[in-house]
Amino acid sequence: MSETENKSVEITKGVNGLEKIILREIRGSSAEVYLYGAHVTSWKNEQGEELLFVSSKAIFKPSKPIRGGIPICFPQFSNMGSLEAHGFARNRVWTIDTDPPPLPPNVTNGVFVDLLLKPTEEDLKIWPHSFEYRLRVTLGPGGDLMLTSRIRNTNTDGKAFTFTFAYHTYFSVSDISEVRVEGLETFDYLDNLKNRERYTEQGDAITFESEVDKIYLSTPTKIAILDHEKKRTFVVRKDGLPDAVVWNPWDKKAKAMADFGDDEYKHMLCVEAAAIEKPITLKPGEEWKVRQELSAVPSSYFSGQLDPSKVLQSS
Ligand code: BG6
């Protein structure tokens, strides 16, 4: 954990007494992460505006995953394997890692907390692999939110393991019909609503008028979510995560989910940095390191071209 006079890391109790960590930056931005799931449930800008969506019906109770924020999908994305949907990492209580192996300076700039997940005896029965998953959640000086994952195979039986992964980020948007996503146009995707058949996205920015559940493949490192009404642009920068899931349940699926309000689909969009099409295989002793960085900037800084370096400089 990092701490100086002007920024802070607070360990406190959240909903239902579950432990959470609050990160606060000098200029007023903040983030919250629950030990349950290593789940980021809040990310606020300097004005105190919430940037992530969490359902008003979210259930903060093990072993139900929290609906909203940033669930960690590991070691399985969705139902693409024999485990529970999106794997078990989001349903486990992580610990604070007080002595993590060092990370390069660009990841230590800001206020951060390190979390650790190791499998229990019960976990080993359903997924017979020893691993150490280290997650660093960093709030940068400008309010950017960075999630760095390091997953190591600690098997002593000489066996490799294979997994799929996603940072399942729920962005808060003013009105889904006013939102467009740039950076995924012309890329191939698997349509979860059509038996994961492969299609090619058209050439324009993506807009929303019905349920969407697509896995875009081998996508660029930067994706932008433009919220026209809020005049806000989110920029997702991802490193080591080739795929990107875009999900909005729309009205019918929303009604079918017990932990999601009927109309809440209008105010959220999931854009998930992921590794799905080509599962990751780690030999014993090997480590996989990936990163997602989120920024929120006024859309006026966004030229209409996907040039997040410009966006980031002006933030
Ligand atoms: C998305 C999947 O990532 O997560 C969808 O593509 C799924 O198919 C959604 O419905 C929500 O999953 P869950 O398990 O959190 O309800």
Coordinates of all heavy atoms in Angstrom, one line a residue, residues 256-292:
A256 N -34.9 -10.2 -16.4 CA -34.7 -11.6 -15.9 C -33.6 -11.7 -14.9 O -33.4 -12.7 -14.2 CB -34.3 -12.4 -17.1
M257 N -32.9 -10.6 -14.6 CA -31.8 -10.6 -13.6 C -32.3 -10.1 -12.3 O -32.7 -8.9 -12.2 CB -30.6 -9.8 -14.1 CG -29.8 -10.4 -15.2 SD -28.2 -9.5 -15.6 CE -28.8 -8.2 -16.5
A258 N -32.2 -10.9 -11.3 CA -32.7 -10.5 -10.0 C -31.9 -9.3 -9.3 O -32.5 -8.5 -8.6 CB -32.6 -11.7 -9.0
D259 N -30.6 -9.3 -9.7 CA -29.8 -8.2 -9.1 C -29.5 -7.1 -10.0 O -28.5 -6.4 -10.0 CB -28.4 -8.8 -8.6 CG -27.7 -9.5 -9.8 OD1 -28.2 -9.6 -10.9 OD2 -26.5 -9.8 -9.6
F260 N -30.5 -6.7 -10.8 CA -30.4 -5.6 -11.8 C -31.7 -5.0 -12.0 O -32.7 -5.7 -12.3 CB -29.9 -6.3 -13.1 CG -29.4 -5.3 -14.1 CD1 -28.0 -4.9 -14.1 CD2 -30.2 -4.8 -15.1 CE1 -27.6 -4.0 -15.1 CE2 -29.7 -4.0 -16.1 CZ -28.4 -3.5 -16.1
G261 N -31.8 -3.7 -11.9 CA -33.1 -3.0 -12.1 C -33.6 -3.1 -13.5 O -32.8 -3.1 -14.4
D262 N -34.9 -3.0 -13.7 CA -35.5 -3.2 -15.0 C -35.0 -2.2 -16.0 O -34.9 -2.5 -17.2 CB -37.1 -3.1 -14.9 CG -37.7 -4.3 -14.2 OD1 -36.9 -5.2 -13.8 OD2 -38.9 -4.3 -14.0
D263 N -34.8 -0.9 -15.6 CA -34.4 0.1 -16.5 C -32.9 0.5 -16.4 O -32.5 1.4 -17.1 CB -35.2 1.4 -16.2 CG -36.7 1.3 -16.6 OD1 -36.9 0.5 -17.6 OD2 -37.6 1.9 -16.0
E264 N -32.2 -0.2 -15.6 CA -30.8 0.1 -15.4 C -29.9 -0.1 -16.6 O -28.9 0.5 -16.7 CB -30.2 -0.6 -14.2 CG -30.7 0.0 -12.9 CD -30.1 -0.7 -11.6 OE1 -29.7 -1.9 -11.7 OE2 -30.0 0.0 -10.6
Y265 N -30.4 -0.9 -17.6 CA -29.6 -1.1 -18.8 C -29.4 0.2 -19.5 O -28.4 0.3 -20.3 CB -30.3 -2.2 -19.7 CG -31.5 -1.6 -20.4 CD1 -31.4 -1.1 -21.7 CD2 -32.8 -1.7 -19.8 CE1 -32.5 -0.6 -22.3 CE2 -33.9 -1.2 -20.4 CZ -33.8 -0.6 -21.7 OH -34.9 -0.1 -22.3
K266 N -30.2 1.2 -19.3 CA -30.1 2.4 -20.0 C -28.8 3.2 -19.5 O -28.4 4.1 -20.2 CB -31.3 3.3 -19.8 CG -32.5 2.8 -20.4 CD -33.8 3.6 -20.1 CE -35.0 3.0 -20.6 NZ -36.2 3.5 -20.0
H267 N -28.4 2.9 -18.3 CA -27.3 3.7 -17.7 C -26.0 3.0 -17.5 O -25.2 3.4 -16.7 CB -27.9 4.2 -16.3 CG -29.2 4.9 -16.5 ND1 -29.3 6.0 -17.2 CD2 -30.4 4.6 -16.0 CE1 -30.6 6.4 -17.2 NE2 -31.3 5.6 -16.5
M268 N -25.8 1.9 -18.3 CA -24.6 1.2 -18.1 C -24.1 0.6 -19.5 O -24.9 0.5 -20.4 CB -24.7 0.0 -17.1 CG -25.8 -1.0 -17.3 SD -25.7 -2.2 -18.7 CE -24.3 -3.2 -18.3
L269 N -22.8 0.4 -19.6 CA -22.3 -0.3 -20.7 C -21.0 -1.1 -20.3 O -20.2 -0.5 -19.7 CB -21.9 0.6 -21.9 CG -21.3 -0.1 -23.1 CD1 -22.4 -1.0 -23.8 CD2 -20.8 0.9 -24.1
C270 N -21.0 -2.4 -20.6 CA -19.8 -3.1 -20.3 C -18.9 -3.1 -21.5 O -19.3 -3.5 -22.6 CB -20.1 -4.5 -19.8 SG -20.8 -4.7 -18.2
V271 N -17.6 -2.7 -21.3 CA -16.6 -2.9 -22.3 C -15.4 -3.6 -21.5 O -14.9 -3.0 -20.5 CB -16.1 -1.5 -22.9 CG1 -14.9 -1.7 -23.8 CG2 -17.3 -0.9 -23.6
E272 N -15.1 -4.8 -21.9 CA -14.3 -5.6 -21.1 C -13.0 -6.0 -21.8 O -13.0 -6.7 -22.8 CB -15.1 -6.9 -20.8 CG -16.5 -6.6 -20.3 CD -17.4 -7.9 -20.2 OE1 -16.9 -9.0 -20.1 OE2 -18.6 -7.8 -20.4
A273 N -11.9 -5.6 -21.3 CA -10.6 -6.0 -21.8 C -10.4 -7.4 -21.4 O -10.5 -7.8 -20.3 CB -9.5 -5.1 -21.2
A274 N -10.1 -8.3 -22.4 CA -10.1 -9.7 -22.2 C -9.1 -10.5 -23.0 O -8.5 -10.0 -24.0 CB -11.5 -10.2 -22.5
A275 N -8.9 -11.7 -22.5 CA -8.1 -12.7 -23.3 C -9.0 -14.0 -23.4 O -9.1 -14.7 -22.4 CB -6.8 -13.0 -22.6
I276 N -9.7 -14.1 -24.5 CA -10.7 -15.2 -24.6 C -10.4 -16.1 -25.8 O -10.4 -17.4 -25.6 CB -12.1 -14.6 -24.7 CG1 -12.4 -13.7 -23.5 CG2 -13.2 -15.7 -24.9 CD1 -13.6 -12.8 -23.7
E277 N -10.3 -15.6 -27.0 CA -10.2 -16.4 -28.2 C -9.0 -17.4 -28.1 O -9.1 -18.5 -28.4 CB -10.1 -15.6 -29.4 CG -10.3 -16.4 -30.7 CD -9.8 -15.8 -31.9 OE1 -9.0 -14.8 -31.9 OE2 -10.2 -16.2 -33.0
K278 N -7.9 -16.8 -27.7 CA -6.7 -17.6 -27.5 C -6.4 -17.7 -26.0 O -5.8 -16.9 -25.4 CB -5.5 -17.0 -28.2 CG -5.7 -16.9 -29.7 CD -4.5 -16.4 -30.4 CE -4.8 -16.2 -31.9 NZ -5.0 -14.8 -32.3
P279 N -6.8 -18.8 -25.4 CA -6.6 -19.0 -23.9 C -5.1 -18.9 -23.6 O -4.3 -19.2 -24.4 CB -7.2 -20.4 -23.6 CG -8.2 -20.6 -24.8 CD -7.6 -19.9 -26.0
I280 N -4.9 -18.5 -22.4 CA -3.5 -18.3 -21.9 C -3.0 -19.6 -21.2 O -3.7 -20.2 -20.4 CB -3.4 -17.2 -20.9 CG1 -4.1 -15.9 -21.4 CG2 -1.9 -16.9 -20.4 CD1 -3.5 -15.4 -22.7
T281 N -1.8 -20.1 -21.6 CA -1.3 -21.3 -21.0 C 0.0 -20.9 -20.2 O 0.9 -20.2 -20.8 CB -1.0 -22.4 -22.0 OG1 -2.2 -22.8 -22.6 CG2 -0.3 -23.6 -21.3
L282 N 0.1 -21.2 -19.0 CA 1.3 -20.9 -18.2 C 1.9 -22.2 -17.7 O 1.2 -23.1 -17.1 CB 0.9 -20.1 -16.9 CG 0.5 -18.7 -17.1 CD1 0.1 -18.1 -15.7 CD2 1.6 -17.9 -17.8
K283 N 3.2 -22.4 -17.9 CA 3.9 -23.5 -17.3 C 4.3 -23.2 -15.9 O 4.3 -22.0 -15.5 CB 5.2 -23.7 -18.1 CG 5.0 -24.1 -19.6 CD 6.4 -24.5 -20.2 CE 6.2 -24.7 -21.7 NZ 7.1 -23.8 -22.4
P284 N 4.6 -24.2 -15.1 CA 5.0 -24.0 -13.7 C 6.1 -22.9 -13.6 O 7.1 -23.0 -14.4 CB 5.5 -25.3 -13.2 CG 4.8 -26.3 -14.1 CD 4.7 -25.7 -15.4
G285 N 5.9 -22.0 -12.8 CA 6.9 -20.9 -12.6 C 6.7 -19.7 -13.5 O 7.2 -18.6 -13.3
E286 N 5.9 -19.9 -14.5 CA 5.6 -18.7 -15.5 C 4.6 -17.8 -14.9 O 3.7 -18.2 -14.2 CB 5.1 -19.3 -16.8 CG 6.2 -19.7 -17.8 CD 5.7 -20.1 -19.1 OE1 4.5 -20.3 -19.3 OE2 6.6 -20.1 -20.1
E287 N 4.8 -16.5 -15.3 CA 3.8 -15.5 -14.9 C 3.3 -14.7 -16.1 O 4.0 -14.4 -17.0 CB 4.5 -14.5 -13.9 CG 3.6 -13.5 -13.3 CD 4.3 -12.5 -12.3 OE1 4.9 -11.6 -12.7 OE2 4.1 -12.8 -11.1
W288 N 2.0 -14.4 -16.0 CA 1.3 -13.6 -17.0 C 1.0 -12.2 -16.4 O 0.4 -12.2 -15.3 CB 0.1 -14.3 -17.4 CG -0.8 -13.8 -18.5 CD1 -0.4 -13.8 -19.9 CD2 -2.1 -13.3 -18.4 NE1 -1.5 -13.3 -20.6 CE2 -2.5 -13.0 -19.7 CE3 -3.0 -13.1 -17.4 CZ2 -3.8 -12.4 -20.0 CZ3 -4.2 -12.6 -17.6 CH2 -4.6 -12.2 -18.9
K289 N 1.4 -11.2 -17.1 CA 1.2 -9.8 -16.6 C 0.4 -9.0 -17.6 O 0.8 -8.8 -18.8 CB 2.5 -9.2 -16.2 CG 2.3 -7.9 -15.6 CD 3.7 -7.3 -15.1 CE 3.7 -5.8 -15.2 NZ 5.0 -5.3 -15.7
V290 N -0.7 -8.4 -17.2 CA -1.5 -7.6 -18.1 C -2.1 -6.4 -17.3 O -2.0 -6.4 -16.1 CB -2.8 -8.4 -18.6 CG1 -2.3 -9.5 -19.5 CG2 -3.7 -8.9 -17.5
R291 N -2.6 -5.4 -18.1 CA -2.9 -4.2 -17.4 C -4.1 -3.5 -18.2 O -4.2 -3.6 -19.4 CB -1.7 -3.3 -17.6 CG -1.6 -2.1 -16.8 CD -0.1 -1.6 -17.0 NE 0.0 -0.3 -17.5 CZ 0.0 0.8 -16.7 NH1 -0.1 0.6 -15.4 NH2 0.0 2.0 -17.2
Q292 N -5.0 -2.9 -17.4 CA -6.0 -2.1 -18.0 C -5.9 -0.7 -17.3 O -5.8 -0.6 -16.1 CB -7.4 -2.7 -17.7 CG -8.5 -1.7 -17.8 CD -9.9 -2.4 -17.7 OE1 -10.3 -3.0 -18.6 NE2 -10.6 -2.1 -16.6

